[in-house]
Structure formats: C-alpha cells, structure tokens
Amino acid sequence: MKKVLFALAILTLFAAAPAFAAPAELTDGFVCPVFNSDAVGMHNPNAVQIGGGDYTIIGPTLTVPVNATNQDGAGSPGGTHAGPGDGSYSPIWNT
C-alpha cells in the first residue's frame, strides 16, 4: 500500500510540473494576414496594401508569445516580412 501511495505522490508531482514552468514571454501584437495577389486586394474593401505589393486585412490587437509573431517579431508590414509558405510566417505581428 505504501508503494501505491508513493507512486501516486510521484505522479501528482509530475502532473503539477507544468504549473511551475516559467511563463512565456509575451508581446502586444495584431493579426495581419498576408495576401500576395492583386486580385484579392482589389476585390476586398477591407484589404489594405502593405510593403512589397502584398495586401492584408488588419485585425484585432492581442497579446501573444514573442516567437509566435511574423519573423519572430522582426517582420514589418511596411518592410521585410514573411508571407504564406515562408518558414517564419505568422499572421500575428509584434508591435
């Protein structure tokens, strides 16, 4: 019986371990998907042109982990940014 209780105590500690992990570093950001087709921008009244001839529809402001943003926070809608298919693409942008 003592072995069972000991095993349950160990399992309880492992289950609680994620609660002791450091929280993710967060940043304020906004949703900004990238469309690289002129046709999409021309036919969507909510689309705005950003750098490189790409279009977007800018969405709400939110708080997200730093590495969840476009180019890990280095992307800029008016400058260098990642688009669909790029390894560092995310529609979430760091402010």
Side-chain angles (χ1 to χ4, degrees):
M1 185 67 171
K2 287 183 182 180
K3 288 182 182 180
V4 172
L5 290 175
F6 180 73
L8 287 174
I10 295 297
L11 288 174
T12 302
L13 285 175
F14 281 117
F20 299 117
E25 183 182 356
L26 300 177
T27 184
D28 290 331
F30 56 94
V31 176
C32 176
V34 176
F35 305 102
N36 51 18
S37 166
D38 287 339
V40 172
M42 288 186 294
H43 298 292
N44 188 326
N46 298 316
V48 293
Q49 191 169 15
I50 59 176
D54 292 331
Y55 289 83
T56 190
I57 299 169
I58 296 175
T61 300
L62 63 161
T63 302
V64 296
V66 172
N67 61 353
T69 58
N70 192 282
Q71 288 188 336
D72 295 331
S76 169
T80 304
H81 58 269
D86 295 334
S88 60
Y89 172 70
S90 171
I92 302 169
W93 299 71
N94 184 10
T95 58

